[in-house]
């Protein structure tokens, strides 16, 4: 059984078709890229799979379960986590609390347990705090646990967002332009971080990225979309040399 199987996923916004017959399969353990010019529909694909949008037609099957109609927190509970092109942290909460909040779907205790401070509540709170600190330590963020994210450099905020996604214990991690806004040294660090996460956590990673050096150095398979339609897929070498992809990015004169 495939980890993720998307079949002919299509999305309309009024009369505009944003994504057309999109299909992809993750067996498990891949590091795959999704690229295309601005406005191609890449983030719409991620929004559909993570439950922020519901497809107009087509199926999204994750670990054998059709996720159509599920809310984002339900999709996350199944094992799909994501980051966003524009960082979405809670800036009035500490870094540690940002990580803790992301685990609410796995709380395992009731509202009454919380009010009564039952043994179950105390045990789970201790376990979640320990797991949150473990994730922060793994990503070299433990020293920022009590800081507000807004006080941290942009590159560190990106790592915090990735840490928050990892704290949900996903089987599929979706990264939406993780290198956006980073300087060259931060990009180098990001490439190493993503490669390490892929190896250490043994999960599938699917990333949208405009910086081709990031995609080409990390991904073993790349899918390219333009105007919502898939125009190519293959290895980094095949994509780099594909005339249809070159035309989509650079225009007819580039051929």
């Amino acid at each position: 059984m495939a980890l993720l199987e998307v079949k002919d996923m299509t999305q309309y916004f009024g009369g505009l078709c944003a994504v057309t017959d999109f299909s992809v399969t993750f067996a498990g353990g891949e590091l795959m890229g999704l690229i295309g010019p601005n406005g191609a529909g890449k983030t719409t694909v991620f929004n559909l799979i993570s439950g922020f949008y519901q497809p107009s037609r087509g199926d999204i099957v994750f670990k054998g379960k059709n996720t159509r109609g599920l809310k984002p927190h339900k999709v996350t509970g199944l094992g799909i986590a994501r980051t966003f092109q524009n960082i979405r942290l809670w800036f009035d909460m500490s870094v540690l609390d940002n990580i803790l909040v992301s685990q609410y779907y796995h709380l395992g205790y009731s509202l009454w347990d919380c009010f009564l401070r039952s043994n179950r509540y105390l045990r789970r709170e201790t376990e979640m705090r320990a797991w949150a600190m473990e994730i922060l330590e793994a990503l070299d963020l433990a020293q920022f646990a009590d800081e507000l994210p807004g006080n941290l450099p942009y590159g560190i905020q990106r790592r915090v967002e990735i840490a928050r996604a990892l704290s949900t214990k996903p089987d599929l991690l979706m990264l939406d332009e993780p290198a956006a806004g980073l300087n060259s040294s931060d990009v180098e660090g990001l490439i190493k971080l993503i490669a390490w996460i892929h190896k250490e956590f043994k999960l599938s990673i699917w990333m949208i990225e405009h910086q081709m050096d990031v995609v080409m150095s990390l991904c073993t398979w790349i899918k390219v979309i333009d105007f919502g339609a898939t125009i190519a897929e293959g290895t980094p070498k095949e994509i780099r040399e594909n005339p249809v992809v070159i035309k989509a990015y650079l225009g007819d004169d580039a051929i």
Side-chain angles (χ1 to χ4, degrees):
M1 182 177 65
L3 176 68
L4 173 69
E5 190 169 8
V6 180
K7 304 174 184 177
D8 302 323
M9 183 175 70
T10 298
Q11 177 68 15
Y12 289 95
F13 295 112
L16 172 67
C17 187
V19 176
T20 306
D21 294 329
F22 184 92
S23 298
V24 71
T25 299
F26 278 79
E30 298 92 338
L31 207 170
M32 190 183 298
L34 178 63
I35 66 172
N38 287 328
K42 304 181 295 298
T43 295
T44 299
V45 168
F46 271 27
N47 285 338
L48 288 163
I49 291 170
S50 55
F52 287 88
Y53 300 153
Q54 296 301 322
S56 302
R57 68 167 184 262
D59 291 306
I60 304 167
V61 180
F62 185 70
K63 295 195 291 190
K65 181 178 178 63
N66 196 318
T67 66
R68 284 194 65 173
L70 294 184
K71 298 294 185 182
H73 69 281
K74 294 285 188 180
V75 175
T76 301
L78 289 175
I80 297 177
R82 68 169 294 183
T83 64
F84 295 85
Q85 180 179 349
N86 298 315
I87 292 175
R88 297 188 184 180
L89 296 170
W90 290 285
F91 288 98
D92 58 347
M93 299 169 61
S94 71
V95 167
L96 177 59
D97 284 339
N98 267 269
I99 307 302
L100 289 171
V101 167
S102 69
Q103 300 180 51
Y104 79 97
Y105 194 76
H106 302 288
L107 286 176
Y109 60 74
S110 68
L111 186 60
W112 285 112
D113 286 318
C114 182
F115 284 146
L116 299 173
R117 298 184 65 82
S118 68
N119 288 335
R120 178 188 300 173
Y121 165 81
L122 294 173
R123 182 179 67 254
R124 286 296 295 129
E125 284 292 313
T126 299
E127 291 170 350
M128 288 189 298
R129 185 170 291 269
W131 172 242
M133 286 305 302
E134 185 176 336
I135 289 292
L136 290 176
E137 288 168 2
L139 273 66
D140 196 24
L141 294 168
Q143 66 269 37
F144 306 117
D146 296 324
E147 292 282 352
L148 294 177
N151 296 334
L152 301 175
Y154 191 80
I156 298 297
Q157 292 180 28
R158 281 283 181 197
R159 293 170 73 97
V160 171
E161 190 177 37
I162 293 173
R164 184 177 62 185
L166 285 173
S167 73
T168 66
K169 301 182 179 179
D171 298 297
L172 172 63
L173 174 63
M174 303 196 306
L175 305 174
D176 191 348
E177 295 198 36
L182 301 184
N183 59 40
S184 57
S185 61
D186 283 339
V187 169
E188 291 177 9
L190 178 73
I191 291 172
K192 293 177 182 177
L193 176 64
I194 293 173
W196 178 83
I197 289 172
H198 182 238
K199 179 180 179 181
E200 185 72 15
F201 288 83
K202 297 179 174 59
L203 45 68
S204 293
I205 297 178
W206 194 9
M207 61 187 302
I208 296 170
E209 187 51 65
H210 279 296
Q211 296 200 35
M212 288 299 102
D213 54 340
V214 176
V215 176
M216 296 298 175
S217 63
L218 284 171
C219 299
T220 55
W221 193 260
I222 300 170
K223 197 172 183 72
V224 190
I225 62 175
D226 190 22
F227 293 107
T230 300
I231 60 172
E233 57 184 305
T235 65
K237 183 177 186 298
E238 291 169 341
I239 295 301
R240 189 183 294 112
E241 298 172 353
N242 189 307
V244 177
V245 176
I246 295 171
K247 178 181 176 181
Y249 273 96
L250 301 178
D252 292 327
D253 293 341
I255 305 301

